[in-house]
């Protein structure tokens, strides 16, 4: 991970281009009539993020596999409801709006021509790439995502925070440990255990029946972590209601495998990339061609000015 001496910004790229797609009208089109709302919206997002937060390094983290088989083998329902088409030989296809799919290769080409590091690793989600970059970072880290799963990486001591878009990226919720404790009663380390117990229908995680968010937070406050809670199930003196004890006991098979599914990986084999924020495009001629073909106009020009400043 060359070039990271200061603040590193990690983009959960798919999360941001989905938001751009739904936030920018599909009347924003290329000269040939192809919608480019996600492309231009993402460029506007990156421009605003760089202007407001001035990272020294920037990585667009990608989903090389949005539903890794190793997670599915542990919990078969993992993201199952979002599968558009199954493939025996490779990653399943995710259900994506018809006019968004063709924009993703354009986004990738533009990022590459700009010289913004773009990293996806086969067999892993963008969350895992983000987790590994965060683990290796020497300085502060800003993670930009609309996915609350990444709250588990928040660490005040290391200067790791999540910038969660509330409206575009002009209004961001700066998520640190104080915010997490206020909202959920846990710190970053405890958030994965909370999510695991509570479950998450959007990811196909069943959770422990009858254990909602508030109960999960209370149990974590009482027993420290997931291991402490499960140890309490075996301790007749522990302060668990009969119902909680029964449900946790019955959920042992889920609790045994869920941590590996819910917690992001920290050991992804990352390629050796230069993550330094580019000040001039890596491929100026290629970028001009992309700008003309896709009508990237003011969105690209504003970002180029910001990068060059």
């Amino acid at each position: 991970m060359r070039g990271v001496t200061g603040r590193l910004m990690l983009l959960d790229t798919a999360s941001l281009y989905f938001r751009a797609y739904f936030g920018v009208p599909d009347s924003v089109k290329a000269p040939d009539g192809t919608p480019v709302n996600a492309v231009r919206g993402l460029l506007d997002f990156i421009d605003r993020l760089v202007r407001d937060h001035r990272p020294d390094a920037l990585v667009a983290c990608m989903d090389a596999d949005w539903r890794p088989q190793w997670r599915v083998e542990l919990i078969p329902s993992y993201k199952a409801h979002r599968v558009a088409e199954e493939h025996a030989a490779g990653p399943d296809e995710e259900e994506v709006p018809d006019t968004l799919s063709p924009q993703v290769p354009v986004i990738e080409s533009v990022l590459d021509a700009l010289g913004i590091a773009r990293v996806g690793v086969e067999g892993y989600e963008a969350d895992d790439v983000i987790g590994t970059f965060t683990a290796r970072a020497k300085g502060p880290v800003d993670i930009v995502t609309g996915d609350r799963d990444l709250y588990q990486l928040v660490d005040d001591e290391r200067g790791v925070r999540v910038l969660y878009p509330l409206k575009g990226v002009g209004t961001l919720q700066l998520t640190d440990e104080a915010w997490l404790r206020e909202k959920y009663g846990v710190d970053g380390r405890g958030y994965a255990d909370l999510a695991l117990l509570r479950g998450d229908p959007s990811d196909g995680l069943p959770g422990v029946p009858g254990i909602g968010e508030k109960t999960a937070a209370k149990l974590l406050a009482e027993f420290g972590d997931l291991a402490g809670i499960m140890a309490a199930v075996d301790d007749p003196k522990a302060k668990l209601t009969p119902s909680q004890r029964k449900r946790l006991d019955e959920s042992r098979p889920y609790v045994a495998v869920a941590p590996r599914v819910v917690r992001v990986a920290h050991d992804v084999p990352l390629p050796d990339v230069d993550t330094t924020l580019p000040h001039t495009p890596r491929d100026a001629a290629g970028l001009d061609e992309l700008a003309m073909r896709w009508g990237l106009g003011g969105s690209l020009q504003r970002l180029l000015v910001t990068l060059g400043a």
Side-chain angles (χ1 to χ4, degrees), residues 10-305:
L10 301 170
L11 307 180
D12 182 2
T13 313
S15 165
L16 295 178
Y17 66 60
F18 261 95
R19 281 180 176 248
Y21 175 81
F22 288 108
V24 178
D26 60 9
S27 55
V28 175
K29 293 180 177 174
D32 69 358
T34 305
V36 288
N37 51 330
V39 185
R40 291 191 55 161
L42 181 66
L43 293 174
D44 287 336
F45 280 0
I46 296 173
D47 172 52
R48 183 68 185 263
L49 288 164
V50 172
R51 273 192 291 125
D52 288 356
H53 300 282
R54 290 289 161 196
D56 302 289
L58 179 69
V59 184
C61 302
M62 313 296 291
D63 281 318
D65 188 342
W66 67 281
R67 188 177 182 245
Q69 186 59 29
W70 56 271
R71 281 193 166 107
V72 175
E73 284 170 2
L74 293 167
I75 298 181
S77 62
Y78 183 66
K79 294 186 177 178
H81 60 296
R82 284 154 56 181
V83 175
E85 193 174 335
E86 291 187 11
H87 295 291
D92 293 333
E93 262 179 62
E94 186 177 11
E95 202 166 358
V96 174
D98 288 348
T99 54
L100 174 56
S101 297
Q103 298 188 56
V104 177
V106 181
I107 287 167
E108 293 175 345
S109 298
V110 173
L111 292 174
D112 292 348
L114 281 165
I116 291 172
R118 184 172 65 83
V119 178
V121 178
E122 190 176 346
Y124 293 96
E125 300 176 54
D127 287 11
D128 302 310
V129 174
I130 289 169
T132 305
F133 269 113
T134 300
R136 293 186 187 179
K138 301 287 191 286
V141 180
D142 284 340
I143 299 164
V144 189
T145 180
D147 183 354
R148 293 183 178 89
D149 291 346
L150 288 166
Y151 287 170
Q152 64 184 275
L153 297 176
V154 169
D155 185 336
D156 287 0
E157 194 176 324
R158 294 192 56 229
V160 179
R161 60 185 185 171
V162 167
L163 309 182
Y164 184 91
L166 297 173
K167 190 176 181 184
V169 290
T171 308
L172 293 169
Q173 171 190 289
L174 270 58
T175 308
D176 58 10
E177 289 191 19
W179 188 92
L180 282 177
R181 279 190 288 268
E182 172 90 17
K183 175 79 173 170
Y184 297 106
V186 295
D187 57 11
R189 191 183 297 270
Y191 187 82
D193 286 347
L194 178 93
L196 180 159
L197 290 163
R198 173 195 66 196
D200 186 349
S202 69
D203 279 344
L205 294 172
V208 176
I211 307 286
E213 194 166 273
K214 288 182 180 174
T215 303
K218 282 179 187 170
L219 292 172
L220 288 166
E222 177 77 26
F223 302 110
D225 57 15
L226 185 64
I229 292 169
M230 296 314 290
V233 175
D234 296 322
D235 177 2
K237 294 178 183 172
K239 293 179 185 174
L240 287 169
T241 69
S243 169
Q244 288 167 355
R245 194 181 300 274
K246 180 174 183 289
R247 283 172 165 160
L248 286 161
D249 186 48
E250 289 171 350
S251 296
R252 282 183 198 273
Y254 165 74
V255 171
V257 297
R260 187 148 179 256
V261 175
V262 173
R263 289 174 189 152
V264 301
H266 294 86
D267 55 356
V268 172
L270 297 176
D272 184 24
V273 292
D274 184 358
T275 61
T276 310
L277 188 74
H279 295 297
T280 55
R282 177 185 295 146
D283 178 5
L287 192 61
D288 285 345
E289 194 177 310
L290 287 164
M292 288 282 289
R293 181 179 174 189
W294 299 108
L296 302 181
S299 299
L300 180 59
Q301 287 309 311
R302 284 189 294 274
L303 177 55
L304 287 170
V305 169

